[in-house]
Amino acid sequence: MKNNIVYLSGLNGLRSIAALSVVISHIAGSINGFNVKIYLFGINKNGLPNGWNLGSNGVTIFFVLSGFLITYLLLLERKKAPISIRKFYIRRVLRIWPVYYMYFFVCILIILSLGENIGLDAFFYYLFFAANIPFVFEFTLPFLAHFWSIGVEEQFYLFWPWLIKKTKQNSFTIILSTVIVINVIRYFLWWKYPFSDSAIFSIVNRFDCMMVGGLGAILFYEKNTFFLKLFDNKITQLLAWIIMILMAFNIKFINSIVDTTIVTAISLILIVGQINVKNRLINLELPFFNFIGKISYGIYVYHMLIIFIFSNLFKYIDLQENYKLFLVYGSVISASIILAYISYEYFEKYFIKLKNNFAVVKSSASRPNK
């Protein structure tokens, strides 16, 4: 921490891994639209491109990061003064809403210009941060299906700051108990009623991933010796990185439900390892990762529209498949980064500055100048 600004080292690196995982996953899932028949992750039993697990793991990392960082900042705020719920929601609105609604209405205009119908029910679900509902029940709007995770996160923060504010001595026990209950229900649903609406809803609404991040933040904030010894040692860090790298190749360990639990745990391990520095095995505190991590929200929001635009351009390009595959991934990722950078510099920064006016504990996504 420098100049009283909270900066947690290495977290931009994890954000960048999460964001790029999601983008690569969605390119892989849309590769047929580019008129390319090379599948990086193979195909499933239905003949469709694999890659879903990579994106799902990326979202899980985002969730754990979010839960950790926001809980940690709330704990620091609670130490200084009672948590201001009003200021918390103003900060959320100023960071999330501008990009969300700008992209949402641009997509609505594009959908209408293409002559597509927009269901009124789907429209209002997206309008009020409930995109997880059309995602589960399969009536998503074009270019907006990925907004399910933003909906889940915003719903989570409807109650989370209140929980941290109102429960002081017993917050850890309450959160841990809730995480256990959520996972018992999820595993039961997938065992007894696999792929039912309720089972799918249980894996989409990953409140427990953010809660695990919150639990880690509480233990880190309290400097819990057992937690730090278990999570921040070279053996644990090595195992976490091995699992993460294997999963980057879309490798399943058990199944996607159990693997979500595994990714949740290793995400927290890597967060602690990056922040504490001492036992880092891979240093993510690098300029490239800091750059991508800082604009990762924009990358996540904009990339689906980029995929649509580029797929309509590339399907008419006649190239050898290997070259075309490289061109597809390179151009979509590059364009998503460029658009996210422009958005951050010329649109989001204005709202971030406003947001900082309501920060009780000052924090930064970039390392403060010495």
Side-chain angles (χ1 to χ4, degrees):
M1 196 185 306
K2 298 184 184 299
N3 302 323
N4 296 319
I5 296 176
V6 176
Y7 175 74
L8 299 177
S9 178
L11 297 196
N12 273 333
L14 292 173
R15 286 191 192 98
S16 65
I17 290 171
L20 294 176
S21 295
V22 172
V23 176
I24 291 168
S25 168
H26 286 155
I27 298 170
S30 307
I31 201 68
N32 288 334
F34 291 86
N35 200 19
V36 173
K37 302 301 179 186
I38 298 177
Y39 306 108
L40 280 186
F41 306 108
I43 56 175
N44 62 26
K45 60 184 179 181
N46 298 317
L48 298 174
N50 278 325
W52 178 86
N53 288 313
L54 178 65
S56 178
N57 294 338
V59 171
T60 298
I61 296 170
F62 270 132
F63 282 159
V64 180
L65 271 168
S66 177
F68 183 96
L69 180 59
I70 288 184
T71 304
Y72 186 69
L73 293 176
L74 285 172
L75 293 171
L76 292 175
E77 180 178 343
R78 194 173 72 183
K79 185 178 181 181
K80 292 178 67 174
I83 293 171
S84 172
I85 300 296
R86 181 182 70 87
K87 287 182 179 179
F88 175 85
Y89 287 122
I90 291 172
R91 294 194 299 270
R92 289 297 297 175
V93 166
L94 289 171
R95 185 64 191 103
I96 302 299
W97 289 26
V99 171
Y100 182 98
Y101 282 116
M102 180 185 71
Y103 179 82
F104 172 67
F105 286 113
V106 166
C107 287
I108 293 298
L109 291 175
I110 292 173
I111 294 166
L112 292 173
S113 71
L114 294 171
E116 299 285 337
N117 291 322
I118 296 175
L120 201 58
D121 50 352
F123 177 85
F124 281 108
Y125 279 121
Y126 284 99
L127 187 65
F128 295 110
F129 291 98
N132 48 324
I133 304 299
F135 185 79
V136 170
F137 295 102
E138 299 183 335
F139 59 98
T140 58
L141 294 177
F143 328 125
L144 289 163
H146 63 305
F147 267 26
W148 69 269
S149 63
I150 301 176
V152 169
E153 197 168 336
E154 291 305 280
Q155 291 159 33
F156 177 78
Y157 289 117
L158 287 176
F159 67 86
W160 190 251
W162 292 97
L163 180 65
I164 302 300
K165 180 183 174 74
K166 298 295 184 181
T167 61
K168 295 183 180 179
Q169 302 302 321
N170 57 350
S171 57
F172 183 87
T173 304
I174 292 171
I175 296 165
L176 179 60
S177 301
T178 307
V179 169
I180 292 170
V181 169
I182 289 173
N183 277 273
V184 167
I185 292 171
R186 177 182 296 147
Y187 281 106
F188 173 78
L189 289 171
W190 279 95
W191 169 60
K192 200 72 175 174
Y193 310 104
F195 298 100
S196 64
D197 289 341
S198 56
I200 294 170
F201 193 82
S202 74
I203 194 63
V204 168
N205 276 39
R206 297 177 211 170
F207 287 177
D208 56 308
C209 297
M210 288 173 275
M211 288 181 177
V212 167
L215 288 173
I218 292 170
L219 294 171
F220 182 80
Y221 173 81
E222 294 176 348
K223 297 181 172 60
N224 183 280
T225 306
F226 176 76
F227 170 73
L228 292 175
K229 283 183 177 179
L230 180 63
F231 277 60
D232 187 30
N233 67 75
K234 285 187 166 56
I235 295 174
T236 306
Q237 291 292 315
L238 177 62
L239 289 173
W241 275 115
I242 290 171
I243 293 170
M244 186 69 80
I245 290 167
L246 289 173
M247 285 185 165
F249 291 95
N250 213 47
I251 294 172
K252 283 185 183 179
F253 280 81
I254 301 173
N255 59 52
S256 58
I257 309 306
V258 177
D259 285 2
T260 297
T261 304
I262 294 172
V263 174
T264 300
I266 65 173
S267 297
L268 183 56
I269 291 168
L270 295 179
I271 287 169
V272 174
Q274 289 299 308
I275 294 171
N276 263 4
V277 178
K278 181 178 64 175
N279 290 315
R280 272 183 186 168
L281 295 181
I282 297 178
N283 179 21
L284 298 180
E285 187 61 27
L286 299 171
F288 172 78
F289 287 127
N290 282 330
F291 172 70
I292 297 297
K294 187 172 66 174
I295 62 172
S296 58
Y297 179 47
I299 292 173
Y300 185 84
V301 168
Y302 300 131
H303 77 279
M304 289 297 285
L305 188 56
I306 297 289
I307 288 174
F308 168 76
I309 293 168
F310 277 63
S311 66
N312 279 279
L313 294 173
F314 276 81
K315 65 184 178 184
Y316 300 112
I317 296 176
D318 187 19
L319 272 177
Q320 186 179 339
E321 290 243 302
N322 289 331
Y323 296 131
K324 192 171 183 180
L325 182 74
F326 177 80
L327 191 60
V328 165
Y329 278 91
S331 59
V332 171
I333 292 170
S334 299
S336 298
I337 291 171
I338 291 167
L339 182 56
Y341 172 73
I342 293 169
S343 171
Y344 184 85
E345 286 293 325
Y346 301 105
F347 181 63
E348 295 169 55
K349 266 189 174 180
Y350 172 77
F351 296 100
I352 291 171
K353 287 178 182 177
L354 288 179
K355 164 183 168 282
N356 291 337
N357 293 330
F358 298 93
V360 179
V361 175
K362 302 293 183 183
S363 64
S364 175
S366 304
R367 180 178 287 280
N369 295 324
K370 294 182 179 179

